[in-house]
Amino acid sequence: MCATCGCGDSTAMITVLRDHPHEHDPDHRHEPDHQHAHGHHHGHEHGHEHADHVHVPITETVTLEQKVLAKNDRLAQHNRDRLRRGGIVALNVTSSPGAGKTTLLERTIRDLSDRPIAVVEGDQETLLDAQRIKATGCRVVQVNTGAGCHLDAEMMRHALDELDPAPGTLLFIENVGNLVCPALFDLGELAKVVVFSVTEGTDKPLKYPHMFAAAGLVLVNKIDLIPYVDFDLDRCAEYAHSINPGVPIMPVSAITGEGLPSWYTWLSGQMSPPPTSLEEASSPA
């Protein structure tokens, strides 16, 4: 899919977790009709040493990558228009593995039970996180990306088809655990929310600048562990602001609840107004 890490064509599968297993087999998965249809790869497997044309594959790689991202951006805009017409606020939640995204979403869903919330779960394999989200009573679909290390706009489109979120829904997209490739792919979300934990190190923003540059909000999770780890919150904020000046940084603990009221206030501020007219609300996607 992307030249950043070289992840190849995936066999992405979308699973809808329902409450009626006899009518809807929970293992029944929908394979999108066009998953990662670009059958190319981005590696430079030119094992020769002919210096006269060594640069040609590089040019091809850049061109193909631009085409992939351009197609993704078109689909993302389609998703964004669809979400806007429904008054649906979608937030793309990204992190490295183990930063606490699912725990944060579980607690958020339970604490904000007075509003419609749905989740698109992204993982390479398993339904484990989707099952945890479903246990909260929240609607959820799982996208398994296979070899892919991120969600893309086409996967998001298929997930929306299956999920069909109600107007006014707050939609969380829990991306595949990876702080590299998800920064490149617009899914049609309103904003990216980067979650990272104090156990990962103060210098995370400097190591993964593209993700922090794309962030609309940074949540520093697991602050209840600060007494036990070497982590400097002020310096971390300084690093993040050197890359993305003005991005809000909120220290939170999804376990203890510390800092979560600020997160909830931020979420309330993102809720979009309803469509401005009936014509806009009913216009085709």
Side-chain angles (χ1 to χ4, degrees), residues 40-54:
H40 62 272
H41 62 82
H42 303 281
H44 301 297
E45 297 175 356
H46 48 289
H48 53 77
E49 297 178 356
H50 302 297
D52 56 334
H53 62 281
V54 68

Side-chain angles (χ1 to χ4, degrees), residues 141-209:
V141 296
Q142 174 77 54
V143 181
N144 287 128
T145 60
C149 58
H150 57 274
L151 299 177
D152 63 28
E154 185 169 19
M155 296 176 192
M156 181 65 183
R157 177 170 67 89
H158 286 288
L160 288 173
D161 289 343
E162 297 293 342
L163 188 62
D164 192 22
T169 292
L170 175 58
L171 177 64
F172 292 112
I173 309 160
E174 185 174 354
N175 216 314
V176 179
N178 178 3
L179 281 179
V180 183
C181 307
L184 300 177
F185 287 83
D186 182 5
L187 306 181
E189 73 271 13
L190 178 68
K192 287 182 173 65
V193 176
V194 176
V195 181
F196 83 105
S197 61
V198 300
T199 57
E200 298 173 58
T202 300
D203 54 2
K204 209 72 170 181
L206 298 182
K207 290 182 175 180
Y208 300 95

Side-chain angles (χ1 to χ4, degrees), residues 61-137:
T61 298
V62 171
T63 301
L64 289 171
E65 183 70 3
Q66 289 173 339
K67 289 180 179 178
V68 168
L69 292 176
K71 177 188 175 185
N72 184 82
D73 288 347
R74 288 194 297 272
L75 292 173
Q77 187 58 49
H78 176 92
N79 293 339
R80 196 181 335 276
D81 292 342
R82 175 179 179 175
L83 293 166
R84 179 176 52 83
R85 286 193 297 273
I88 297 166
V89 171
L91 300 171
N92 186 356
V93 184
T94 63
S95 81
S96 55
K101 293 192 304 298
T102 308
T103 301
L104 175 72
L105 293 183
E106 287 178 302
R107 181 144 189 168
T108 299
I109 291 164
R110 291 192 169 103
D111 287 351
L112 303 183
S113 59
D114 59 338
R115 66 179 56 180
I117 299 178
V119 175
V120 174
E121 274 289 342
D123 280 304
Q124 287 193 319
E125 298 291 345
T126 84
L127 304 178
L128 295 175
D129 286 351
Q131 290 167 340
R132 288 173 58 184
I133 294 297
K134 185 174 180 295
T136 68

